[in-house]
Amino acid sequence: MDYTTLWNEFARALFVQVKRQIERAGYDRTFKAQVKSRLPDGRYEVLYRGNYYAASSSFQLTEGQIVRVCAPQNNWNDLFILTG
């Protein structure tokens, strides 16, 4: 095995590990999502990358509206919709 192939494999493995750590890191994540409906508990169901999530909001939203959603400390159980 030559050194170029060895280094390419090392770089790929390192990239996978770094990406995995970033996805689990505890920092706020903000993303755009589409409001799909209002849930019975007062939160909203939002669509992001083909998945549905429940997010809280302190103001009225309409179905189809594009909003910014925050996952505080990368905790997807505490999603909330940002104002503005």
Side-chain angles (χ1 to χ4, degrees):
M1 180 179 294
D2 64 72
Y3 285 112
T4 302
T5 304
L6 183 65
W7 277 108
N8 286 339
E9 288 180 16
F10 172 75
R12 270 192 293 275
L14 182 62
F15 176 76
V16 168
Q17 290 301 318
V18 169
K19 185 176 178 184
R20 202 174 287 156
Q21 291 300 318
I22 289 173
E23 288 173 354
R24 288 189 274 172
Y27 61 91
D28 291 355
R29 294 185 70 168
T30 304
F31 53 91
K32 287 184 182 179
Q34 182 181 32
V35 175
K36 296 311 278 181
S37 65
R38 186 173 175 105
L39 299 172
D41 64 1
R43 295 184 299 166
Y44 288 90
E45 181 178 53
V46 295
L47 176 63
Y48 174 66
R49 290 189 176 179
N51 294 308
Y52 292 91
Y53 301 95
S56 62
S57 176
S58 59
F59 51 97
Q60 291 291 329
L61 302 171
T62 58
E63 188 175 318
Q65 184 175 351
I66 303 298
V67 294
R68 291 195 185 272
V69 180
C70 180
Q73 296 298 298
N74 206 17
N75 183 347
W76 289 66
N77 294 319
D78 292 333
L79 295 179
F80 65 90
I81 299 171
L82 300 168
T83 60

